[in-house]
Amino acid sequence: MNDTMGRYRTVIGHRLFWPAAVLIVMLAANTIYRPGFLSIEVKDGHLYGTPIDILRLSAPLILVALGMTLVISTGGIDLSVGSLCAISGAIACMYISKQPDQNSLGVVLTALAMALGVSLVLGAWNGVLVAVIGIQPIIATLILMVAGRGLAQLITEGQIITINSEPYRAIGLGHMLTLPLAIFIALAAALLVAAFTRRSALGMIIESVGGNAEASRLAGIRSGRIVFLVYVLSAGCAAIAGFMMTANVSSADGNAAGLWVELDAILAVVIGGTSLAGGRFFLSGTIIGALIIQTLTTSVYAMDISPQTSLLFKAVVVIAVCLIQAPAFRARFSRRRRNVPPPATTADKPKEQVPA
């Protein structure tokens, strides 16, 4: 009995248990509401179905959330990822639209390189503001969040740039080994980040900077360089996500592309178990968090609920998680529980006097 209880507590105490349980409950609820929700079929050698759509549509969010995980683990935040998605997609689509042969692989690769290069430069700008100048991360990235959205609209001249390029379209809608190519891109990015952070000392260094930057500096770690690096990596992930978003619709909209993706990315990171205060990070938890958010979005659409309602749900979850993580809130809650008097027992009740 004790062994069973010990195993039970170990399972429910695992950091991935509750996120995975939430995801399973959401899938089960959708299956009850719509019995064919989990059905998958093969058409023209490709797999189709709602689970495949969830994985494909989660790919951009997973990429952004991976970069956000590294930033948050250093104790920072990156609010500019949505604008970077719009900028990268706008540059790529604008360049392709001006070429005589939009289906040329060389044209598409050049467009991707240009957009990725600009995004990395903008990520370096965030890194300089935070690591070198010392501006608070939320303010430094808020600058690019606002200015970047305007820059994307300047690139597109306030228009929706449409393209007809099959190689570029394949980034979002192409298939490989019966599955969408976007899934493999997100998987490759996750494995690459995991390899660099978990198979080398880089991950431990990032966590030490987030845990105590001053102590890390005194230990010989150049904290500023690590902070600079994670903002550049976050920008690179956001750029690739921007390629996927614009490839899905074969067009670039500087105003709508990547809108609110920073909220989804932060929520995915928090659901995955990474503290907003910095320190330890969990890439696998972030991926599950991204799947939860996309499943929630898909559920909202499937139930014919207004899309704006999903934003409300996400905001409520963010507030609840932040309250749970706040030390002051937990201390006050535990103090109230300690002050609650225990219920009176039979022994505490006064005995009735029996008349003589």
Side-chain angles (χ1 to χ4, degrees):
M1 183 65 180
N2 291 334
D3 292 341
T4 304
M5 289 299 297
R7 292 176 182 175
Y8 172 76
R9 291 174 180 173
T10 301
V11 171
I12 65 173
H14 195 276
R15 54 183 173 80
L16 295 181
F17 174 79
W18 290 111
V22 170
L23 180 60
I24 293 173
V25 168
M26 292 179 64
L27 293 175
N30 278 282
T31 304
I32 295 173
Y33 179 80
R34 193 174 60 177
F37 183 82
L38 295 179
S39 61
I40 298 176
E41 57 183 355
V42 180
K43 291 183 180 179
D44 300 327
H46 305 317
L47 295 177
Y48 291 94
T50 304
I52 303 299
D53 291 337
I54 291 176
L55 291 175
R56 179 178 63 85
L57 295 174
S58 297
L61 178 57
I62 289 174
L63 283 168
V64 176
L66 287 173
M68 187 70 74
T69 301
L70 299 179
V71 172
I72 289 179
S73 66
T74 62
I77 199 79
D78 191 351
L79 299 180
S80 66
V81 289
S83 297
L84 288 170
C85 290
I87 291 172
S88 65
I91 293 175
C93 289
M94 178 61 74
Y95 180 82
I96 294 174
S97 67
K98 294 183 178 299
Q99 303 305 311
D101 184 10
Q102 297 187 9
N103 289 315
S104 172
L105 183 60
V107 168
V108 174
L109 292 178
T110 302
L112 296 180
M114 290 174 54
L116 181 60
V118 172
S119 298
L120 292 177
V121 170
L122 294 176
W125 166 258
N126 282 337
V128 169
L129 291 181
V130 176
V132 179
I133 301 179
I135 299 177
Q136 288 292 328
I138 191 172
I139 301 300
T141 57
L142 182 63
I143 295 172
L144 185 56
M145 175 185 176
V146 177
R149 189 65 64 176
L151 178 59
Q153 295 190 60
L154 284 175
I155 294 171
T156 60
E157 298 178 352
Q159 305 295 321
I160 298 179
I161 306 300
T162 58
I163 59 175
N164 186 20
S165 174
E166 285 301 322
Y168 189 80
R169 185 172 178 270
I171 298 175
L173 299 176
H175 284 77
M176 185 177 71
L177 301 176
T178 73
L179 291 173
L181 180 60
I183 297 177
F184 290 100
I185 295 175
L187 179 61
L191 292 176
L192 191 62
V193 173
F196 277 104
T197 57
R198 295 310 184 193
R199 298 296 178 181
S200 69
L202 179 60
M204 186 181 300
I205 293 173
I206 292 175
E207 290 177 343
S208 65
V209 171
N212 192 323
E214 182 62 21
S216 299
R217 186 186 66 81
L218 295 176
I221 298 174
R222 300 192 176 185
S223 304
R225 291 188 178 183
I226 298 299
V227 172
F228 177 84
L229 176 62
V230 296
Y231 281 96
V232 174
L233 292 176
S234 177
C237 291
I240 300 174
F243 300 151
M244 289 184 183
M245 294 174 184
T246 51
N248 283 334
V249 293
S250 295
S251 63
D253 185 353
N255 186 47
L259 191 63
W260 304 123
V261 74
E262 56 273 359
L263 173 62
D264 290 344
I266 295 171
L267 180 55
V269 174
V270 173
I271 290 175
T274 300
S275 173
L276 292 174
R280 294 200 64 186
F281 63 89
F282 307 101
L283 298 176
S284 55
T286 295
I287 295 174
I288 294 178
L291 292 175
I292 289 175
I293 294 172
Q294 185 56 51
T295 303
L296 172 62
T297 304
T298 303
S299 303
V300 169
Y301 288 136
M303 296 177 182
D304 295 329
I305 301 176
S306 171
Q308 286 74 16
T309 308
S310 66
L311 296 177
L312 177 61
F313 290 158
K314 294 170 187 175
V316 170
V317 173
V318 169
I319 293 173
V321 172
C322 290
L323 286 176
I324 293 172
Q325 285 190 325
F329 178 82
R330 291 201 305 267
R332 180 173 299 180
F333 183 75
S334 61
R335 191 161 52 246
R336 286 185 177 181
R337 290 187 61 183
R338 287 196 300 267
N339 292 337
V340 174
T345 61
T346 306
D348 296 330
K349 295 180 180 179
K351 295 182 180 180
E352 296 181 359
Q353 298 292 333
V354 179

